Amino acid sequence: MTIFNKDDILNAFHYRASTRSYDGNKKIPADEFNAILEMGRLSPSSVGSEPWQFLVLQNANLRQKLKPYCWGIPTMETSSHIVAILAKKNARYDTPYFGQIMDRRGLQGDDRAKIMEVYKKFQSEDIAILESDRTLFDWASKQTYIALANMMTGAAMMGIDSCPIEGFDYQEVNRILADEGLFDPNEWGVSVMVTFGFRDKEIRPKARKTFEQVVKFVE
Ligand SMILES: Cc1cc2nc3c(=O)[nH]c(=O)nc-3n(C[C@H](O)[C@H](O)[C@H](O)COP(=O)(O)O)c2cc1C
């Protein structure tokens, strides 16, 4: 395993910047974009739930339909790639969806029954997300943001720009994509979107809180 130099990694973190203006003529090569999607797919998730799907929106007509509901941002046209990250709805411990998680781990018989009890307590008491469809969806959405971050940071390490997008009308965007038959709205919903491409101008340096403001060592 190659160990990457911390300064190189931090340089990528400094370089990554939410990009609101792309060079519309520059496209990310397919193999590089597939690598970014792999960084999403390989991301960690609570109990290995992987409650995500990545819809890569390359169709110009569809992008035009979405644009008015995405605050009219020009990057809906100029991004090399746009990903709508979907989060699983109703990812309860007692659903077939959770059964698949246990299948992937090869859990059967007593082991499976035991882990199901653990997941039941986890979801119903410890993290208490069974109160509503919304709390359960938000839990799945949280996992998708890990994939989001990994894709954006990985892209920055490859010199590719990105911008996370929460600024859109969730109801309309979900309706448009579901009406296109891209997912079953009873099973999935858009948690966040992200654009990728190449910046066409310098982006002003970050104005972050200081290390001391956000870190506390407890010894
Ligand atoms: C979850 C999330 C959603 C965001 N949504 C938008 C958005 O809709 N439009 C936008 O221009 N920037 C959006 N941003 C970018 C933030 O404004 C930006 O990350 C922040 O100002 C810090 O700047 P930087 O990303 O360039 O370091 C979003 C960021 C995150 C993490």
Side-chain angles (χ1 to χ4, degrees):
M1 159 73 202
T2 309
I3 301 294
F4 298 94
N5 180 292
K6 74 176 180 349
D7 294 328
D8 290 341
I9 298 170
L10 280 173
N11 280 342
F13 274 76
H14 281 287
Y15 177 78
R16 189 212 53 77
S18 291
T19 305
R20 280 109 185 179
S21 180
Y22 291 114
D23 179 341
N25 296 315
K26 282 199 191 158
K27 295 285 166 241
I28 303 165
D31 63 327
E32 293 193 18
F33 194 69
N34 285 346
I36 292 170
L37 292 168
E38 275 294 85
M39 293 165 199
R41 187 181 71 86
L42 295 171
S43 296
S45 56
S46 184
V47 304
S49 52
E50 302 174 52
W52 47 57
Q53 282 193 12
F54 308 114
L55 270 187
V56 187
L57 305 176
Q58 300 307 83
N59 181 287
N61 290 335
L62 183 56
R63 286 184 178 196
Q64 282 303 329
K65 274 194 209 169
L66 295 172
K67 191 177 165 192
Y69 301 107
C70 298
W71 299 3
I73 51 172
T75 51
M76 288 309 284
E77 283 155 6
T78 55
S79 310
S80 168
H81 291 74
I82 301 176
V83 183
I85 304 183
L86 307 183
K88 182 77 182 79
K89 290 184 176 170
N90 192 32
R92 282 177 58 103
Y93 69 92
D94 54 358
T95 55
Y97 185 81
F98 252 70
Q100 290 166 13
I101 299 170
M102 291 188 261
D103 289 346
R104 281 198 295 275
R105 295 211 190 141
L107 285 164
Q108 296 302 334
D110 278 358
D111 289 343
R112 193 172 174 117
K114 270 189 212 143
I115 202 85
M116 182 137 164
E117 280 305 307
V118 172
Y119 291 162
K120 179 180 179 180
K121 180 172 180 297
F122 171 63
Q123 287 198 329
S124 60
E125 296 173 30
D126 296 342
I127 197 169
I129 50 172
L130 298 185
E131 288 162 16
S132 72
D133 289 348
R134 180 69 195 234
T135 50
L136 204 47
F137 181 72
D138 285 348
W139 175 71
S141 291
K142 280 202 250 179
Q143 317 310 320
T144 69
Y145 278 60
I146 300 169
L148 166 73
N150 283 343
M151 289 196 281
M152 294 193 301
T153 308
M157 293 174 99
M158 295 159 65
I160 293 169
D161 292 307
S162 62
C163 186
I165 309 277
E166 268 183 346
F168 60 92
D169 181 329
Y170 277 72
Q171 204 174 338
E172 288 301 317
V173 166
N174 272 286
R175 182 187 59 74
I176 292 167
L177 297 177
D179 282 357
E180 294 284 329
L182 297 172
F183 59 83
D184 176 352
N186 296 316
E187 298 291 328
W188 297 92
V190 178
S191 70
V192 64
M193 294 205 273
V194 51
T195 60
F196 293 94
F198 296 96
R199 68 186 72 174
D200 65 358
K201 55 183 173 222
E202 284 307 305
I203 297 174
R204 68 169 184 272
K206 296 190 187 311
R208 286 288 196 272
K209 293 179 187 174
T210 64
F211 187 90
E212 290 71 26
Q213 282 173 320
V214 298
V215 179
K216 186 182 276 184
F217 288 98
V218 182
E219 285 161 353

